[in-house]
Amino acid sequence: MITMIRASVGPDSSNVRIRAARTITSFQRPERTSDGFILRLPATTMEPGAVDSSASATPLKCTAERIRDILVLRFRCAPTDTMTIRRDGQRDLVCTIRPLSDVKEDTQTPNNGQGKWSLDVIVIDAGHGGQDAGAEGVNGVYEKTVTLAIARKLRDRLREILPKTKVVMTRDSDVFIELYKRTQIANESGGKLFVSIHCNSMPTKPHPAHGCETYILRPGRNNDAARVASLENASVKFERSTQRYSGMTEDQIIIATMAQRSFVRLSESFASAIQKEVKKETPLADRGMSQAGFFVLVGASMPNVLVETGFLSNTTDAEYLASSKGQSALAQSLANAIRTYSASYERSLHH
């Protein structure tokens, strides 16, 4: 629960301090609007009167409203202002708004004149891990092992082809990271693109279903998409508390996709590029792009996709996914797709 929202206006910048009664577990990266910024805090409530009168003062105006279980904070400021957000301890967030001319560009950011909007941070999420093994293949290989191997190879390849881009891994070893923390890591690292790597599986093994499929976050269109989402969302049983997911109905997924509406086109473009490159670089069948309500994508404040690289329940796919050759080819496919997406993204910034 948010107990205080207080603003302070200085000569060069304005700060808004957001304080909660307990640890703030997640927040989305601020989204630019025509007259300011929006900050969304999922599964968050607010005490009556929490917004201090100073928070609605000129020149900075801050208002708050609750839409379903999301607390939406709106900041009104000049069109040329920028906004950054940081933690100050476990219970406080500090939002800083300043003119664009006062923001120092990150030396790691490509010099394209667009500053913080460039594709300077890519987040790779290796699905499952630790006690959550994921699907088990017909050959005995575990999903968590395959996804981590592909993620590591992808990281190394991106460092070669996009040396100015920071690559963040949600996990780099055999550990379990709670689903909500994965997008939290992405948001807090300033991620501009999020890719979650997984393997598909059918209930019966061996099974003829095969091929690679890439998903974006939206309610599932068919029973197969719902099955895949249910399979991946089952990872929540390994978390210390599943309470945050108890209300994650289709309506909540719709709300989450609305929060990501500004990223949908980019997510679709990235997903399409992935499928094209996998078809070109690997023998895996192209199952196309689909949509489903994956918990791991909820809350990502950036374009995001989930890749089901192949079926561990299929003898041919499982053998390929378990091989170093197959893992390298999939990593190369994803790297090529990211490079294609990056070039398209950078061009769009100049139009």
Side-chain angles (χ1 to χ4, degrees), residues 122-128 143-159 167-173 182 195-199 309 326-328 330-332 334-335 338:
I122 295 172
V123 183
I124 304 171
D125 173 49
H128 307 279
E143 182 178 1
K144 68 172 184 177
T145 305
V146 174
T147 62
L148 182 58
I150 295 172
R152 285 172 170 170
K153 292 176 184 293
L154 174 58
R155 173 198 60 195
D156 296 343
R157 188 71 184 108
L158 288 176
R159 286 174 175 172
V167 181
V168 175
M169 301 272 284
T170 59
R171 71 178 182 96
D172 191 19
S173 60
R182 295 173 188 247
V195 53
S196 189
I197 302 171
H198 292 259
C199 301
T309 53
Q327 293 162 2
S328 295
L330 279 161
Q332 183 65 54
L334 293 173
I338 289 172

Side-chain angles (χ1 to χ4, degrees), residues 130-206:
Q131 67 269 36
D132 176 18
E136 181 177 359
V138 291
N139 54 354
V141 70
Y142 288 116
E143 182 178 1
K144 68 172 184 177
T145 305
V146 174
T147 62
L148 182 58
I150 295 172
R152 285 172 170 170
K153 292 176 184 293
L154 174 58
R155 173 198 60 195
D156 296 343
R157 188 71 184 108
L158 288 176
R159 286 174 175 172
E160 294 175 4
I161 66 175
L162 297 173
K164 292 184 178 181
T165 297
K166 180 181 178 181
V167 181
V168 175
M169 301 272 284
T170 59
R171 71 178 182 96
D172 191 19
S173 60
D174 187 18
V175 296
F176 176 67
I177 306 295
E178 295 176 303
L179 297 189
Y180 79 91
K181 285 186 178 179
R182 295 173 188 247
T183 46
Q184 182 176 314
I185 291 169
N187 292 340
E188 294 188 8
S189 64
K192 305 297 172 56
L193 187 65
F194 180 83
V195 53
S196 189
I197 302 171
H198 292 259
C199 301
N200 216 330
S201 185
M202 296 299 286
T204 57
K205 305 173 188 177

Side-chain angles (χ1 to χ4, degrees), residues 165-345:
T165 297
K166 180 181 178 181
V167 181
V168 175
M169 301 272 284
T170 59
R171 71 178 182 96
D172 191 19
S173 60
D174 187 18
V175 296
F176 176 67
I177 306 295
E178 295 176 303
L179 297 189
Y180 79 91
K181 285 186 178 179
R182 295 173 188 247
T183 46
Q184 182 176 314
I185 291 169
N187 292 340
E188 294 188 8
S189 64
K192 305 297 172 56
L193 187 65
F194 180 83
V195 53
S196 189
I197 302 171
H198 292 259
C199 301
N200 216 330
S201 185
M202 296 299 286
T204 57
K205 305 173 188 177
H207 195 282
H210 62 290
C212 176
E213 194 167 21
T214 303
Y215 286 85
I216 62 171
L217 178 67
R218 279 184 180 176
R221 285 178 173 168
N222 53 54
N223 291 336
D224 188 57
R227 176 194 62 78
V228 176
S230 177
L231 186 67
E232 301 298 357
N233 292 343
S235 292
V236 301
K237 68 186 178 185
F238 296 100
E239 301 193 12
R240 286 174 292 180
S241 171
T242 61
Q243 185 176 358
R244 63 173 48 85
Y245 306 105
S246 61
M248 199 65 74
T249 62
E250 182 168 302
D251 284 348
Q252 295 299 86
I253 296 295
I254 291 173
I255 295 297
T257 59
M258 287 173 63
Q260 294 187 15
R261 64 189 182 278
S262 59
F263 308 123
V264 170
R265 182 182 60 81
L266 292 173
S267 296
E268 290 178 339
S269 174
F270 182 38
S272 177
I274 289 174
Q275 290 301 127
K276 181 179 179 180
E277 292 296 334
V278 169
K279 185 177 181 179
K280 185 189 303 182
E281 295 283 341
T282 80
L284 294 166
D286 176 11
R287 294 175 64 89
M289 180 182 69
S290 192
Q291 60 188 54
F294 293 97
F295 292 171
V296 73
L297 299 182
V298 172
S301 297
M302 65 206 73
N304 55 86
V305 301
L306 184 144
V307 185
E308 293 286 357
T309 53
F311 282 78
L312 289 176
S313 51
N314 178 276
T315 304
T316 304
D317 276 14
E319 181 181 356
Y320 188 73
L321 293 173
S323 70
S324 178
K325 177 183 178 181
Q327 293 162 2
S328 295
L330 279 161
Q332 183 65 54
S333 301
L334 293 173
N336 289 347
I338 289 172
R339 179 163 53 185
T340 298
Y341 171 86
S342 175
S344 175
Y345 180 86

Side-chain angles (χ1 to χ4, degrees), residues 49-75:
V51 181
D52 187 277
S53 58
S54 62
S56 57
T58 304
L60 174 67
K61 184 176 180 61
C62 173
T63 58
E65 64 176 320
R66 197 157 185 263
I67 302 177
R68 297 291 180 92
D69 69 339
I70 300 174
L71 182 62
V72 180
L73 304 181
R74 303 180 188 276
F75 303 87

Side-chain angles (χ1 to χ4, degrees), residues 18-29:
I18 303 167
R19 176 165 295 168
R22 298 176 188 152
T23 300
I24 297 177
T25 58
S26 65
F27 58 88
Q28 297 184 11
R29 186 160 55 90

